[in-house]
Amino acid sequence: MVTISRIRTDKVPFWASIRGKILLAFFVVVGSSFLVAATNLTGLVSNYLTEQRTREDTQAAESLAAVFGPMMQSAESTGLNNRLKESAEGLNGRLLLLDPDGKVQYDSLNSLCGQRLAIPEVLKVLVRGEVSAYGMYRLSRETVAAMSGEGEAEYLAYGAHEMQGPRGRNGVLLYVSRIQGMMDSMQGVQNQLNTVFILIAVAALILALILSRLLTTPITNLSRTMRKMGKGDLSVRVPEKGSGELRQLAENYNVMAAQLENLDQSRNQFVSNASHELKTPLATMKIMLETIIYQPEMPADMRQEFLQDMNHEIDRLTGIITDLLTLTRMDNKSDPMKIEEIDLSALTEETLRLLDPAARKRGQTLESSVAPSLRMQGDRSKLHQVLSNLIDNAMKYTQDGGKIRVTLEEKGDWLVWQVADNGVGIPPEDQEHIFDRFYRVDKARSRETGGTGLGLSIVRQLVTMHGGQIRVESEPGRGSCFIVTLPRGERGAETA
Ligand SMILES: Nc1ncnc2c1ncn2[C@@H]1O[C@H](COP(=O)(O)OP(=O)(O)O)[C@@H](O)[C@H]1O
Ligand SMILES: [Mg+2]
């Protein structure tokens, strides 16, 4: 008996399910690749923008320093002041001119005149002697408002450039640049990318859900079907939808299920057929027995006849039971093959000799043509059973005085038996069924001759166990010929 473990019906946790895994994988792949792309992109954009701005601002400071440097010494301060304001407005920034001590001499917004400014860029030019310096800053709103004159801004940039007079360096020009707009547009790019990211993530989520559903539905269906089959309902099938491996899985599963169902049905059929076969002789015997019991004054010769009939029925019962046992033993594989080197020619001759008296009794001739010394690997008693069953059938289904011919010959790697008779024959529509269990063409006749309908199914099974084949050629009224081909080597027997 095969042990059967419990059917799993518990729900798979989400993280362990295929759906969970697909979703996670999708998220990791889509999320991480987008994150990398997005950071690279923002980095690229902001680098480009800041570099360009730095270059522009530095150039502006340089050319303004070239203009205002020589003007520092001239006394025309109002003219200089006006030009400074104009230039600052043109640049949309603030311009300051500082003397070599760092004190503001001119201011386009006028508010810082006379003050000393300790701004890093100014110090770099004045103290460290650099020609120009540039830096962008994020500062408090008050500081930005005080320095650039721009309200509600957090960013500004300082561009400093030395100024040269006729007698060398005479101060520094400070350009306060309003970069809030640029920073805002950079933030805009960042926000846009975030929106795109969220959109892509949602799309990926939906896609992953659809994909995982496509993948898991067939599997859940299969699991559900298996559960039902496991509980004993063999008629359920998996819907064969979709394509690819999952469809194949469903199709293969259904083939297996159909085979199981067939097996189950044929087993039931077998049991009911067997019971029926056993019941008939028992019923006949009971009638005869009751007749004998309730008619004590029955004539002696009639009673004798009844008892003989009953004896006949008991023989039939024994025959059926022997055949049934042979079949179930073969089904259970509890009757192993005893493979040995045998002389099939000798075995054929011996079988013919054993059956010859029975044929003689009915006036039938048993002819033979057996090629000598044909050897093969096989089970002696099983092969004997095959041949005697076939000859027995030939005698049973041939009229008295008929002719039966048995031949054994060699055809390449195969040995071929032919058992031919000139008896009743088998109608074409019955030919494919005669090897089925309990199948008989003429039930009444077969029962009369003691047949069970199991003989040929046993024969076919024995032949297949040897790796061979059996077929029939027959014409009703003219006779039948059973042809058995057997492989000589053991290879055939093993694969059977
Ligand atoms: N040589 C034959 N000639 C005619 N019919 C045959 C022959 N051999 C078998 N049959 C048919 O095939 C059926 C099945 O044969 P078998 O399985 O041996 O059962 P049984 O011999 O017990 O009837 C027989 O009932 C018979 O109708
Ligand atoms: Mg038979």
Side-chain angles (χ1 to χ4, degrees):
M1 190 74 186
V2 185
T3 41
I4 297 173
S5 33
R6 192 176 65 88
I7 293 174
R8 299 287 304 261
T9 51
D10 38 340
K11 231 174 138 40
V12 182
F14 186 73
W15 54 265
S17 68
I18 295 183
R19 288 194 91 174
K21 284 172 192 156
I22 289 177
L23 279 180
L24 193 74
F26 234 78
F27 247 73
V28 169
V29 171
V30 172
S32 59
S33 53
F34 191 84
L35 219 66
V36 170
T39 35
N40 273 337
L41 205 65
T42 29
L44 231 84
V45 169
S46 55
N47 274 352
Y48 173 76
L49 287 178
T50 45
E51 266 170 32
Q52 178 170 320
R53 186 61 180 256
T54 307
R55 205 170 333 111
E56 280 171 9
D57 284 357
T58 316
Q59 262 169 20
E62 184 182 357
S63 48
L64 286 170
V67 171
F68 289 107
M71 289 170 79
M72 276 290 271
Q73 258 76 29
S74 75
E76 237 282 79
S77 65
T78 21
L80 197 157
N81 224 345
N82 286 343
R83 280 207 56 186
L84 197 67
K85 272 185 190 146
E86 263 168 44
S87 303
E89 272 161 27
L91 283 172
N92 185 27
R94 182 180 195 170
L95 289 172
L96 300 130
L97 303 180
L98 285 71
D99 65 14
D101 295 331
K103 214 193 257 174
V104 178
Q105 297 297 318
Y106 296 93
D107 173 9
S108 65
L109 292 184
N110 279 332
S111 58
L112 289 172
C113 287
Q115 289 192 29
R116 214 180 279 272
L117 290 183
I119 287 167
E121 278 65 33
V122 172
L123 295 177
K124 272 185 195 160
V125 173
L126 286 183
V127 180
R128 287 209 240 142
E130 286 174 24
V131 177
S132 75
Y134 188 82
M136 292 181 174
Y137 294 95
R138 181 181 190 173
L139 301 164
S140 72
R141 281 170 203 276
E142 296 78 46
T143 319
V144 175
M147 290 311 295
S148 75
E150 188 182 20
E152 294 305 309
E154 285 183 311
Y155 291 94
L156 58 71
Y158 292 125
H161 199 283
E162 65 163 19
M163 290 190 292
Q164 299 271 356
R167 269 162 277 131
R169 174 183 284 218
N170 63 357
V172 58
L173 175 136
L174 178 64
Y175 169 28
V176 183
S177 173
R178 295 168 183 163
I179 57 169
Q180 184 65 37
M182 181 193 76
M183 289 299 178
D184 285 348
S185 57
M186 252 153 55
Q187 189 59 48
V189 169
Q190 180 85 51
N191 288 346
Q192 256 170 22
L193 281 174
N194 285 347
T195 322
V196 170
F197 176 65
I198 290 168
L199 285 180
I200 287 182
V202 170
L205 190 77
I206 294 170
L207 214 73
L209 275 172
I210 295 172
L211 196 79
S212 61
R213 171 147 300 232
L214 277 180
L215 257 173
T216 46
T217 316
I219 297 177
T220 359
N221 280 343
L222 187 67
S223 191
R224 193 181 312 127
T225 311
M226 283 166 119
R227 212 146 49 213
K228 280 190 196 149
M229 281 192 76
K231 284 181 188 155
D233 180 2
L234 298 182
S235 65
V236 281
R237 295 289 181 274
V238 191
E240 292 174 5
K241 280 188 293 207
S243 57
E245 291 95 332
L246 287 171
R247 194 199 169 89
Q248 249 177 30
L249 184 70
E251 283 171 355
N252 288 342
Y253 182 82
N254 283 345
V255 170
M256 189 196 74
Q259 228 139 39
L260 273 179
E261 200 184 4
N262 272 347
L263 206 70
D264 192 52
Q265 273 171 5
S266 66
R267 204 190 43 205
N268 287 342
Q269 183 78 37
F270 180 65
V271 170
S272 87
N273 282 343
S275 329
H276 184 74
E277 292 297 326
L278 295 173
K279 244 179 97 172
T280 321
L282 283 175
T284 322
M285 285 201 295
K286 188 170 166 61
I287 293 171
M288 293 191 281
L289 205 62
E290 279 174 350
T291 321
I292 294 172
I293 293 172
Y294 298 118
Q295 295 183 9
E297 66 283 5
M298 188 185 236
D301 53 341
M302 197 167 165
R303 176 190 308 236
Q304 180 66 17
E305 200 180 307
F306 269 33
L307 287 174
Q308 262 166 10
D309 285 350
M310 281 168 65
N311 191 29
H312 183 70
E313 290 298 326
I314 289 174
D315 286 346
R316 250 174 59 70
L317 267 180
T318 318
I320 295 173
I321 291 169
T322 315
D323 283 353
L324 282 176
L325 278 177
T326 313
L327 271 177
T328 45
R329 268 217 299 275
M330 284 195 298
D331 285 352
N332 291 341
K333 309 213 162 30
S334 58
D335 185 12
M337 298 267 282
K338 292 186 215 65
I339 301 286
E340 56 187 328
E341 166 102 17
I342 52 177
D343 183 339
L344 199 66
S345 309
L347 186 140
T348 310
E349 300 281 12
E350 198 186 306
T351 312
L352 284 165
R353 215 171 20 254
L354 277 171
L355 293 175
D356 193 51
R360 229 177 261 272
K361 212 189 249 174
R362 295 190 48 199
Q364 292 169 332
T365 39
L366 194 52
E367 285 177 6
S368 64
S369 153
V370 179
S373 310
L374 293 181
R375 310 184 72 83
M376 68 171 283
Q377 299 285 329
D379 182 315
R380 186 186 300 274
S381 76
K382 290 195 168 65
L383 289 172
H384 168 76
Q385 204 178 345
V386 169
L387 188 59
S388 52
N389 253 311
L390 291 177
I391 299 176
D392 180 59
N393 275 350
M395 295 193 307
K396 270 197 316 199
Y397 301 105
T398 302
Q399 63 287 358
D400 291 355
K403 211 162 73 181
I404 294 140
R405 186 176 165 75
V406 177
T407 61
L408 171 65
E409 58 188 354
E410 184 180 18
K411 272 190 188 153
D413 274 347
W414 302 81
L415 299 185
V416 183
W417 260 333
Q418 292 197 29
V419 179
D421 61 58
N422 61 351
V424 294
I426 304 160
E429 65 274 17
D430 291 308
Q431 286 178 16
E432 54 174 318
H433 297 297
I434 53 170
F435 298 100
D436 296 347
R437 292 174 178 186
F438 296 113
Y439 193 88
R440 283 164 298 196
V441 177
D442 179 351
K443 291 229 177 231
R445 187 193 169 112
S446 165
R447 188 162 296 135
E448 199 177 292
T449 52
T452 59
L454 290 172
L456 282 181
S457 68
I458 293 174
V459 165
R460 186 173 59 179
Q461 204 150 340
L462 292 175
V463 169
T464 352
M465 279 161 80
H466 280 86
Q469 279 143 24
I470 182 167
R471 65 193 170 85
V472 66
E473 283 170 8
S474 179
E475 211 179 302
R478 309 273 313 256
S480 320
C481 179
F482 286 83
I483 302 140
V484 178
T485 31
L486 293 165
R488 305 191 71 148
E490 205 173 337
R491 205 159 41 88
E494 268 172 9
T495 52

